[in-house]
Amino acid sequence: MSKNFKKNLLSLILIFAMLFTFSGCATTNPNQSNSNNQTSQTTKTSDNSGKIKIGFSFDTLNLERWQHDRDYFVQRAKELGADVLVQSANSDSQTQYSQCQNLIAQGIKVLVIIPHDGSAIAPIVEEAHKAGVKVLAYDRLIMNADVDAYVSFDNEKVGELQAEYITKLVPKGNYFLLEGSPTDNNAKLFEQGQKKVLQPLVDKGDIKIVGEQWAQDWLTQNAYNIMQNALTANNNKIDAVVDANDSTALGAIRALQEQNLAGKVAISGQDADLANCQLIVEGKQSMTVYKPVKEEATKGADVAIALAKGEDINANGKVNNGKIDVPSVLLTPVAVDKNNMVDTIIKDGFHSLDEVYKNVPKDQWPKQ
Ligand code: BGC
């Protein structure tokens, strides 16, 4: 062997060794990997590690509840030996669609989606299936598509709990309905549940619905504007607000407060967000609907991994999405007011007593 040949051979071995090392170090940061090159590198990484990769597409992470969902889901998936790539679409349907395509290209086995718009996102299901990726609709249903599974709460029940609570508190009077985002199938289910309870009382003449409006993207600011206009239009003669969730209740309560009506007008919510739990113990919000998100996220991760492995998902129901009956895992929501705050939200460690009662004088704190 000549000296030169030996030198060339050594260089070649070195180059191969370096190439091998770098392909094993590809990053899996979903925000960076738009080019095809990076995509194929990440795919390789997953093959090498043998770990299941799950893509999770959030409508938004700006609302408190979705941050809890993300944290619990990722934690559970990790415990089960899977990696989760998280993307948030900032409440934009097109962004969400391309982020989902990007996740599919990164070698995931399951795509979990909280759709911004349950209809606009539907065609991604077929695209995913073509790539051998299963699709799980998380919390919000994807409409008219062959979705593999759905994990959520009984959403009609959420609306029933809201209306039942408020009508017990205010059996007669003027009602305003502040609904959620019109592109969210859940918002329609909450409204259906509410109306199941309200309609007989309207028919009896006990309550009068003086208005109903939908807050685009569930935004606090939109809800504030809606409530302000509703108060003006009705000369402040509103006795109760059936409000679909906590982010919108925050806006509505701000508008009520400006008219010195906070605490005088009954108002519902949903999610047990910290700011709303504080308003409940201060007497400015009547109730919220607590949906143990840890349970939902843990179930979500279990179902995602079962789908990846081709195992049974242990569905307890089916929900029709206009095309098929989607195998579903549906959990039970709980109505929470100041009387059971400690036994539910605080006991579960969702928020601490100190956080929730922060604005209440200490001598009025419940004894634990
Ligand atoms: C969820 C609610 C949430 C709302 C706004 C709905 O689909 O079920 O819990 O408050 O979206 O994010």
Side-chain angles (χ1 to χ4, degrees), residues 63 65-66 139-140 184 186 190 218 245 270-271 291:
L63 258 68
R65 83 145 281 190
W66 302 120
D139 199 77
R140 301 175 180 167
D184 180 353
N186 283 353
F190 302 146
W218 298 95
N245 91 331
Q270 163 183 202
D271 289 340
K291 304 191 295 189

Side-chain angles (χ1 to χ4, degrees), residues 215-332:
Q216 186 68 40
D217 294 340
W218 298 95
L219 291 180
T220 302
Q221 182 62 37
N222 293 344
Y224 168 77
N225 295 341
I226 290 172
M227 195 68 235
Q228 216 182 25
N229 291 339
L231 286 168
T232 309
N234 291 283
N235 295 319
N236 284 359
K237 291 200 168 50
I238 291 177
D239 304 299
V241 182
V242 178
D243 192 315
N245 91 331
D246 281 351
S247 60
T248 50
L250 268 192
I253 292 169
R254 189 152 37 101
L256 290 170
Q257 194 128 17
E258 285 174 4
Q259 301 299 317
N260 279 323
L261 289 172
K264 294 180 189 144
V265 175
I267 178 164
S268 58
Q270 163 183 202
D271 289 340
D273 285 350
L274 179 59
N276 300 77
C277 291
Q278 290 169 341
L279 288 171
I280 289 175
V281 299
E282 286 168 50
K284 292 180 182 155
Q285 180 171 328
S286 316
M287 63 90 71
T288 187
V289 177
Y290 173 48
K291 304 191 295 189
V293 163
K294 185 172 184 186
E295 217 184 305
E296 185 181 17
T298 305
K299 269 274 167 341
D302 289 350
V303 169
I305 284 159
L307 286 175
K309 293 183 172 168
E311 291 168 358
D312 185 20
I313 65 155
N314 288 322
N316 65 356
K318 283 182 188 306
V319 180
N320 191 279
N321 71 351
K323 185 173 189 197
I324 58 163
D325 286 331
V326 184
S328 305
V329 176
L330 298 177
L331 306 166
T332 309

Side-chain angles (χ1 to χ4, degrees), residues 109-126:
K109 282 264 184 306
V110 181
L111 178 59
V112 184
I113 306 177
I114 302 171
H116 172 64
D117 180 327
S119 299
I121 199 72
I124 201 70
V125 177
E126 216 183 307

